[in-house]
Amino acid sequence: MAVLIITGTGTEVGKTVTTAAVAATALAAGRSVAVLKAAQTGVRPDERGDADEVARLAGPVTATELARFPEPLAPGTAARRAGMAPVHPHEVAEAAAKLATDHDLVLVEGAGGLLVRFDAAGGTLADAARLLNAPVLVVASAGLGTLNTTELTARELDWRNLELAGVVIGSWPDAPDLASRCNVMDLPEVAAAPLLGALPAGAAALPPADFRTAAPGWLAPRLDGSWDAEAFRIRHTP
């Protein structure tokens, strides 16, 4: 798994903090890690972007950002409105492949969901994953509505013959409601892929040292962690 694509079922589901947790866990396992943000939107030139946030939380990763657009919109729309050149899937793939020559693991974080458009031709993160022949990790929310968006994402990956590595819950609430607890059982079924972790709500607010210590416990062994999906299911399924 030299390159792992990280996408979400939508915005604000915890992609960046999940990327940081995967990076921190890989670093703790002795692997060298690069993080590539395909397109950063809604951030001024002097502000920290998602790749910077991953580096802050995870530790010594190589953080790279291909493009930055000022408005918080889909990358293709943000590029057009700013009069800037868009990012194309082949550029994402080429940058990730180059990083993979010098790192054990390259994490490519998308913007929004899998089919958010990068350019006027309709290029997406899914196209970059196809060019790289890389597995895709899907970050999903915990509560009501997540089953539909997760299954739609999983079906699109299957239709494109792309590997779905698994699903991570990007923010597990301190007091999960009934829907969240039921979704622990249902998410792997609708995705036809394993649940590979659950990050606690507020994880990004932890001091970096605490985040790095805790991260392996949030992720399954396939992601170098120690999280036990069955124990989590037994504890939370009603």
Side-chain angles (χ1 to χ4, degrees):
M1 197 192 303
V3 178
L4 178 65
I5 308 293
I6 299 181
T7 191
T9 55
T11 59
E12 305 300 323
V13 295
K15 284 191 307 297
T16 299
V17 68
T18 298
T19 302
V22 175
T25 301
L27 288 170
R31 306 173 73 187
S32 59
V33 180
V35 175
L36 175 64
K37 180 68 178 181
Q40 177 71 63
T41 65
V43 177
R44 298 192 309 267
D46 60 335
E47 290 183 304
R48 295 175 61 87
D50 291 343
D52 299 317
E53 176 66 0
V54 172
R56 182 186 73 82
L57 289 169
V61 302
T62 299
T64 303
E65 184 181 280
L66 283 188
R68 176 174 291 209
F69 308 113
E71 294 180 312
L73 302 168
T77 304
R80 184 183 71 244
R81 285 179 50 84
M84 300 171 66
V87 173
H88 301 290
H90 72 86
E91 294 172 320
V92 178
E94 289 166 3
K98 183 177 180 180
L99 288 167
T101 63
D102 298 318
H103 298 84
D104 298 321
L105 177 63
V106 179
L107 303 175
V108 181
E109 182 187 345
L114 181 69
L115 298 185
V116 169
R117 295 190 172 197
F118 285 159
D119 56 26
T124 67
L125 187 67
D127 296 313
R130 165 54 54 206
L131 291 169
L132 288 160
N133 193 28
V136 179
L137 182 68
V138 172
V139 182
S141 57
L144 198 63
T146 195
L147 298 181
N148 180 63
T149 53
T150 301
E151 184 165 0
L152 287 171
T153 302
R155 287 190 180 195
E156 182 67 21
L157 289 167
D158 181 64
W159 182 77
R160 291 171 178 260
N161 293 316
L162 292 171
E163 179 188 349
L164 172 53
V167 178
V168 170
I169 297 172
S171 180
W172 182 254
D174 294 332
D177 60 13
L178 179 61
S180 297
R181 290 183 288 125
C182 288
N183 288 341
V184 172
M185 176 73 74
D186 293 338
L187 275 169
E189 181 177 345
V190 302
L195 193 61
L196 294 181
L199 275 65
L206 290 173
D210 294 343
F211 182 94
R212 296 166 196 171
T213 299
W218 303 331
L219 300 171
R222 182 169 180 182
L223 297 173
D224 292 321
S226 59
W227 184 78
D228 187 334
E230 182 63 15
F232 187 85
R233 184 189 66 78
I234 291 171
R235 188 164 66 253
H236 292 293
T237 301

